[in-house]
Amino acid sequence: MQVKEAVQQRRSIKHFDTNHVMTEKEIHELLSHAILSPTAFNIQNWRFVIVTDKALRQKIRAVSWGQAQVEEASLLIVLVADLMAWNKEPGRYWKDAPKPVQDYLVPAISQYYDGKPEVQRDEAMRSCGMAAMNLMLTAKSMGYDTCPMDGFDFDKVTSLLNLPSDHMPAMFVCVGKGIKEAMPRGGQLPLDQVVIQNQFK
């Protein structure tokens, strides 16, 4: 499937085939594409928690307003933001770059993030959002449906996943074989209402 088709056909699906199992090869392909998503300073501040334990998925569903796709999709991916990724061996993010590039960019990481919790959080959330879109488009191109979600209790999911103190959940992406079509689009705004030329007037 071409990118244009994947973009046009991607919809949020709520009902999945509970008997379908994704292969390890498919999951690896999906995640291999997800980690090509851009991040500021290449700090790769997303983490992908793949929830396969059935009992844990039931508990997560219970703190997600009972939404069935959390438990019924073939794959539940919790995108987690590592807020301190910028300070964890930052040299590794540029290890394959020429030394002058390393010498410039590695110190710049600390200068940009240090002492700026809002920047750390905002950048991590942006990164997770881009990775989620990459996951969804890749899944669609592989013949799978997805549902992005933030309808859950963030504190309870943090506890259930035993997240480190410097990590926080950003969103879920449920992946699987849809068994029911999405509802018709609720109302897409026209381009002239969302595209601004140069400046707001």
Side-chain angles (χ1 to χ4, degrees):
M1 180 181 292
Q2 297 296 319
V3 172
K4 180 179 178 182
E5 291 177 282
V7 171
Q8 291 174 334
Q9 294 179 22
R10 188 220 59 81
R11 299 295 310 283
S12 294
I13 299 298
K14 309 290 187 183
H15 303 279
F16 292 91
D17 179 353
T18 58
N19 295 314
H20 184 79
V21 177
M22 291 179 69
T23 66
E24 288 299 321
K25 183 178 178 182
E26 287 176 318
I27 295 169
H28 183 269
E29 179 182 351
L30 184 63
L31 294 170
S32 294
H33 283 84
I35 63 171
L36 298 178
S37 304
T39 57
F41 292 98
N42 196 40
I43 64 171
Q44 301 160 67
N45 45 354
W46 16 245
R47 300 293 178 264
F48 305 90
V49 181
I50 309 302
V51 185
T52 56
D53 182 272
K54 291 183 179 180
L56 181 56
R57 282 184 60 170
Q58 287 179 340
K59 291 176 183 176
I60 294 173
R61 178 179 178 174
V63 299
S64 304
W65 307 338
Q67 295 181 82
Q69 63 269 29
V70 171
E71 192 175 359
E72 295 179 355
S74 299
L75 192 62
L76 171 62
I77 304 172
V78 182
L79 285 95
V80 172
D82 181 350
L83 305 178
M84 296 299 288
W86 63 273
N87 198 32
K88 296 174 180 174
E89 301 176 57
R92 62 190 170 139
Y93 306 131
W94 293 98
K95 64 181 176 60
D96 298 325
K99 190 170 186 309
V101 174
Q102 295 181 35
D103 291 345
Y104 174 75
L105 281 173
V106 174
I109 293 172
S110 292
Q111 294 167 14
Y112 187 75
Y113 288 102
D114 194 17
K116 301 172 187 172
E118 296 88 358
V119 174
Q120 295 163 16
R121 177 191 166 109
D122 290 351
E123 287 289 359
M125 289 300 180
R126 273 191 282 271
S127 296
C128 286
M130 288 189 281
M133 194 73 247
N134 208 351
L135 277 169
M136 290 185 283
L137 293 179
T138 299
K140 194 64 190 173
S141 73
M142 294 169 63
Y144 283 103
D145 294 299
T146 56
C147 183
M149 295 177 57
D150 65 358
F152 56 88
D153 186 311
F154 280 61
D155 290 337
K156 289 179 180 174
V157 167
T158 296
S159 178
L160 286 168
L161 298 182
N162 195 32
L163 296 184
S165 60
D166 57 0
H167 287 54
M168 66 180 301
M171 61 187 296
F172 298 170
V173 176
C174 301
V175 185
K177 290 288 187 181
I179 57 173
K180 187 176 178 181
E181 289 188 10
M183 293 174 61
R185 292 186 186 273
Q188 204 70 35
L189 294 174
L191 283 176
D192 62 10
Q193 291 186 27
V194 296
V195 177
I196 294 86
Q197 294 292 335
N198 298 314
Q199 296 176 312
F200 280 87
K201 301 216 186 307

